[in-house]
Amino acid sequence: MTAALDVGDPRLAVGAGGLLAEFNRAGVLEPADVHVAARLGRLGGEERQEVLLAAALAVRAVRLSSVCLDLATADHTVLGEGDEVLDTSVLPWPEPAAWLAACRASPLVAVGADAPSGRPLRLVSTGAAHLLYLERYWHEEELVRTSLQERAAMEPPPVDLLALQAGLDRLFLEPDAVRQRQAAAVGVLRRVTVLAGGPGTGKTTTVARLLELLAEQPAVGRIALAAPTGKAAARLQEAVTEVLPPHLRSRVPEASTLHRLLRWHPALGFRHHRHHHLPYDVVVVDETSMVSLSMMARLLDAVRPAARLVLVGDPDQLASVEAGAVLGDLARAPGRPEPWLDARLAEMGVPGGVVHGVVTLEHVWRFGGAIAEFARAVRDGDADAAVDLLRRDDPALQLVMPPEEDPRAVDAVRADVVAAGRALMEAADAGDAPAAVAALDEHRVLCAHRRGPYGVSRWTAEIERWLAADQPHRPRGPWTPGRPVLVTSNDYDIGLFNGDTGVVVAGPDGPRVAFARGGAPQLYAPARLPEVTTVHAMTVHRGQGSQFRRVTVVLPPSESPLLTRELLYTAVTRARASVRIVGTEESVRAAVARPVARASGLRDRLA
């Protein structure tokens, strides 16, 4: 347990007592968790400390991206957050059976899935798990579950099987494209399809071919493409446009963010919902791993029950920063194949056995060799195999010590940074926007932390010093050509979104900032831009959905709770050609051994 906090420490919930105070002083509960639970207790007439502790931990769970709290395992699954590791075993956890009984008897808690709503908490027991939800998140999880199950139980959409068979034979000729063929067939036959797979497995190509197949089917008119972020939407638009035949491109509108698709308004909420459905026959959502439970509930509420919904993403990547890991739950939910679907697939010579409409692509087309092997070892939790690959000294996959242990170890990182920076500045000085945008993706430093010795702020400052030393006479300023920038807020008017990256280039009318948008880069005057920051390094979360030729991954020490299997997997799969990991073998082993655990009832209840 950590030492008692100073009374002036903002992490201390002043006035709290009992278990809430003890767990707050230990660093488990934030003041907000404590105050919400205490307020609920006052409003509901609940004074038992163990119930208030459960309420505070349920609030904390959502704040840390879980949907609920499992009371049966809370004493060993509630870990530290941020950069702090906590020993929670020494805390005065309530006795499990008595804790569960107190929560069931509480006026704050609705017990069971069928209990009427109206209380702030809900307790649902499934097997050995006793899941405590904030009522809002219970309703959102229920909406997702019932919507998916109701769509699966509906009469299948009308399909011209002869046209589908001909299209499959025309579009999927590669011998290794069996899964892509299966995914496309399921996407035509079923109302909800989940297309899962890692980077480079052909998800976008499969989506483009699926759209071509759907265009040949009856009753398929309007199509929408969407993604959780503006950057991911732009990449989806660019990738699908490259693959689609010219005569179909006009049928596919520009990809948008989910907020824009559902027409979010700060004062009115989402304009599209169950009483005002989206007007599309097909909705494709890319990077679904980044979609939170709340957004998935809003999406399913807005998509017409008769429409087709295609969810695309990698369930092994980092999930949404908000509560829920819906794609992971869908991709791994137990269940049985649908007999009618198996029969239709068999008619076309396509493998069956599809559960919940999930098809996972496994053959990697974009990259192979050491990167693919390492990503597979990380995904499978095989730390020994991952470390063995790093010890091979393959040029495409290297491990170097952090500068704190060996200052010369990062010389190779510096060489990569300086080479990429020179190419970027030369193109920017010449006003060559396409070359500058291409150089922007030559190399990127990805960090787990935002601050501290292993964070983005430290590495950004380090990189700027390296570049300044390489070109000491180069002028410096916020809009000097060659400065890479990251957009940090959405601007729907000009079409730039949080996470977009661009580069300042010289122009005849002064500096302009170039952003890739598929085709020729778009140029913006600096005065028109929303908030931006320099982007020599970024967090792994920010880099999700991007691809770079070379990647440097900065790992924190092994005890950092941010160091997880999903973070390492996401980071290394951003690279097309080479990965250099700055860290220790202990950090790699710790990451591989620490999968993200997000409590949720969706996976089991879908069965």
Side-chain angles (χ1 to χ4, degrees), residues 36 40 51 54-62 65-71 100 103 108-113 118-126 129-145 293 323-324 329 598-606:
V36 170
L40 289 177
V51 176
L57 290 173
V59 175
R60 177 190 191 271
V62 171
S65 302
S66 285
V67 177
C68 54
L69 169 75
D70 187 354
L71 293 175
L100 180 61
C103 289
L108 300 179
V109 182
V111 180
R119 301 187 182 190
L121 301 170
R122 182 176 293 265
L123 179 64
V124 179
S125 297
T126 56
H130 303 292
L131 306 181
L132 185 67
Y133 293 81
L134 299 181
E135 184 72 0
R136 168 194 162 182
Y137 290 92
W138 161 257
H139 279 293
E140 289 178 344
E141 187 175 281
E142 271 294 274
L143 192 157
V144 171
R145 180 190 67 82
L293 175 68
D329 287 338
R598 291 195 173 188
S600 164
L602 180 61
R603 183 180 308 184
D604 291 332
R605 299 186 70 243
L606 276 173

Side-chain angles (χ1 to χ4, degrees), residues 151-153 186 190 192 336-343 353-357:
R151 291 167 195 263
V186 172
R190 207 173 184 273
V192 178
R336 289 176 288 184
E338 299 160 284
W340 74 267
L341 181 60
D342 275 356
V354 175
V355 176
H356 300 307

Side-chain angles (χ1 to χ4, degrees), residues 239-426:
V240 169
T241 301
E242 287 179 357
V243 180
L244 274 179
H247 70 279
L248 289 179
R249 293 173 187 170
S250 61
R251 291 191 57 179
V252 179
E254 182 179 354
S256 70
T257 64
L258 286 172
H259 279 81
R260 196 170 191 179
L261 178 73
L262 301 182
R263 296 184 64 195
W264 164 257
H265 188 279
L268 303 175
F270 291 107
R271 305 278 186 89
H272 287 291
H273 43 73
R274 68 180 58 191
H275 303 299
H276 183 207
H277 286 131
L278 289 165
Y280 300 106
D281 301 305
V282 180
V283 177
V284 178
V285 181
D286 197 14
E287 297 292 348
T288 310
S289 64
M290 300 166 66
V291 178
S292 67
L293 175 68
S294 297
M295 180 53 74
M296 184 61 71
R298 302 286 81 75
L299 174 67
L300 288 168
D301 220 19
V303 173
R304 292 187 301 108
R308 288 176 174 88
L309 176 63
V310 182
L311 304 175
V312 186
D314 185 352
D316 297 306
Q317 286 189 23
L318 287 166
S320 165
V321 295
E322 299 178 45
V326 179
L327 182 66
D329 287 338
L330 294 180
R332 301 183 179 100
R336 289 176 288 184
E338 299 160 284
W340 74 267
L341 181 60
D342 275 356
R344 291 279 181 88
L345 293 174
E347 290 177 28
M348 290 171 287
V350 175
V354 175
V355 176
H356 300 307
V358 179
V359 180
T360 302
L361 307 183
E362 297 176 343
H363 181 81
V364 178
W365 303 82
R366 183 183 300 158
F367 55 75
I371 297 177
E373 290 183 61
F374 183 79
R376 192 158 44 246
V378 173
R379 183 196 64 191
D380 296 342
D382 191 341
D384 289 338
V387 170
D388 287 344
L389 286 164
L390 291 170
R391 290 173 176 170
R392 291 182 187 176
D393 198 26
D394 190 307
L397 180 68
Q398 296 181 338
L399 178 70
V400 300
M401 297 299 291
E404 290 73 20
E405 299 191 24
D406 183 359
R408 294 174 297 177
V410 294
D411 287 349
V413 179
R414 178 171 181 166
D416 278 351
V417 166
V418 169
R422 285 177 183 168
L424 183 65
M425 294 174 189
E426 289 174 3

Side-chain angles (χ1 to χ4, degrees), residues 15-25 29 47 49-50 52-53 92:
L19 289 177
L20 293 178
E22 288 196 58
F23 278 70
N24 173 227
R25 285 195 297 269
L29 297 177
E47 297 181 350
Q49 288 295 312
E50 60 270 36
L52 298 181
L53 174 63

Side-chain angles (χ1 to χ4, degrees), residues 61 127 142 168 193 195 269 319 432 460 469 514 517 522 527 540 548 562 604:
E142 271 294 274
L168 291 172
T193 304
L195 179 56
D432 189 344
T460 294
R517 277 294 179 271
Q522 294 184 9
V540 178
F548 309 99
L562 296 182
D604 291 332

